[in-house]
Amino acid sequence: MSLFVLVACSDGHAKISDANEAIFSVGNVNITKGDVYSSLVSQRGTYEVINKVNQAVLDAEVEITEDMEKEASDTVDGLQALYGDNFVTLLGSYGYKDVEDYKTRGVIPSLQADELYKKYIEENWDRIVKEQNPKKAIVLKFEDATKANDAKTALDNGEDVATVATDFEASTSATEQIVTNDSSFSSDVLAAINSATTSDYALIASVDGYCYIISVTESDANNFKDEVVEQLAATEDVQNNAFGYYVKKHNFKVYDREIYDSIAENYPEYVD
């Protein structure tokens, strides 16, 4: 399916019919259709193209279900209750005609996008797992090395991890978290998590100046797949790559050189 056809040919530019036809004049100056088109392309061309293409992708890949319709209605109802009589005015400031327009063009596409991100991860699961190497782990962070050592001793003696985290003033929660290669930990902490073969607690004096105690509780991402999908679907990289993946799948082409160059610069995942 060809979703959108706008292809970068050599220095090509999309043209409109009757480009020289004046649509208004000021004194002796005529403003033509071509003038307005050029202005729109330079100011909003890329933004509008990407919006249209993204919506085409959503409509092609994600069915709007009854559950989505209900969730969208519930969202709108909640916002109406929150903002009251100001809600319609607020929507107008964001370019929506009315509440139904906001539901149709704002809320539902957002719900479709959430499903698209998850679908992308599912369809590319093996590659993404290889790239991200998700692990489920407990990671305790300490500013004081002595307290970190004492905490490690307490954990080795079988004390409850949540109690230890509180008693020895860890600055992170004892709750399990999903750690990927894009997590914000320093490289040596990530390396220790990635190389762990048991759930035993390990103490790391990191290059970032903190001490960490780690325990990898699950190494096989397939055993907590739904959680991985949920977490990765909320990341900017996955969201951008998902649209890029499906745009290319549907043979996106751009005929206007100016718009193509702008997309290549700002949305490189959309073009080859």
Side-chain angles (χ1 to χ4, degrees):
M1 181 191 300
S2 179
L3 287 180
F4 209 86
V5 180
L6 261 175
V7 177
C9 38
S10 178
D11 295 325
H13 294 279
K15 298 183 183 299
I16 63 171
S17 60
D18 302 323
N20 293 322
E21 181 181 334
I23 55 176
F24 67 90
S25 62
V26 179
N28 295 323
V29 178
N30 290 331
I31 304 301
T32 66
K33 288 184 178 181
D35 295 330
V36 173
Y37 174 77
S38 297
S39 177
L40 289 174
V41 165
S42 63
Q43 294 179 33
R44 293 181 58 84
T46 302
Y47 175 79
E48 294 295 343
V49 167
I50 292 299
N51 276 351
K52 295 291 187 183
V53 170
N54 285 353
Q55 188 58 58
V57 165
L58 293 176
D59 291 340
E61 293 290 336
V62 181
E63 179 185 0
I64 299 173
T65 64
E66 291 183 4
D67 287 342
M68 282 187 193
E69 292 278 7
K70 183 180 184 305
E71 185 175 349
S73 295
D74 290 345
T75 298
V76 170
D77 290 345
L79 290 171
Q80 282 183 304
L82 178 64
Y83 290 103
D85 294 339
N86 295 322
F87 186 48
V88 174
T89 302
L90 179 64
L91 292 181
S93 68
Y94 284 97
Y96 297 105
K97 293 184 294 185
D98 50 32
V99 172
E100 188 62 28
D101 186 41
Y102 171 61
K103 175 183 172 182
T104 302
R105 293 198 300 118
V107 182
I108 288 179
S110 177
L111 297 176
Q112 286 180 284
D114 290 341
E115 293 303 313
L116 185 80
Y117 307 145
K118 295 173 185 177
K119 181 177 182 178
Y120 166 73
I121 296 170
E122 294 276 1
E123 291 187 3
N124 296 274
W125 176 251
D126 291 340
R127 174 180 61 79
I128 290 174
V129 166
K130 185 176 181 180
E131 292 173 355
Q132 292 295 332
N133 197 17
K135 303 286 182 70
K136 188 174 280 191
I138 295 170
V139 184
L140 302 180
K141 179 180 178 180
F142 299 86
E143 295 184 10
D144 186 294
T146 300
K147 289 182 178 179
N149 277 284
D150 291 344
K152 172 68 162 55
T153 300
L155 290 169
D156 289 342
N157 290 332
E159 293 190 28
D160 176 68
V161 63
T163 302
V164 169
T166 300
D167 290 348
F168 294 95
E169 301 178 357
S171 59
T172 53
S173 166
T175 305
E176 286 181 320
Q177 61 179 288
I178 296 173
V179 180
T180 70
N181 286 339
D182 286 339
S183 294
S184 59
F185 297 114
S186 56
S187 58
D188 52 350
V189 174
L190 285 176
I193 292 171
N194 287 335
S195 62
T197 56
T198 71
S199 60
D200 293 343
Y201 290 100
L203 179 63
I204 304 161
S206 175
V207 294
D208 66 7
Y210 297 97
C211 289
Y212 295 84
I213 295 175
I214 66 166
S215 170
V216 176
T217 56
E218 181 57 73
S219 296
D220 186 349
N222 291 295
N223 292 335
F224 54 105
K225 184 174 182 177
D226 289 347
E227 295 171 77
V228 174
V229 170
E230 195 73 31
Q231 178 167 311
L232 292 181
T235 64
E236 185 176 357
D237 279 350
V238 163
Q239 292 173 3
N240 290 339
N241 290 336
F243 273 110
Y245 173 82
Y246 290 109
V247 161
K248 290 176 181 176
K249 172 184 173 181
H250 290 288
N251 195 29
F252 174 53
K253 299 180 184 300
V254 184
Y255 281 107
D256 190 283
R257 169 56 65 179
E258 183 177 349
I259 293 178
Y260 178 88
D261 289 343
S262 180
I263 291 174
E265 179 180 356
N266 296 290
Y267 304 89
E269 62 275 6
Y270 282 56
V271 296
D272 293 321

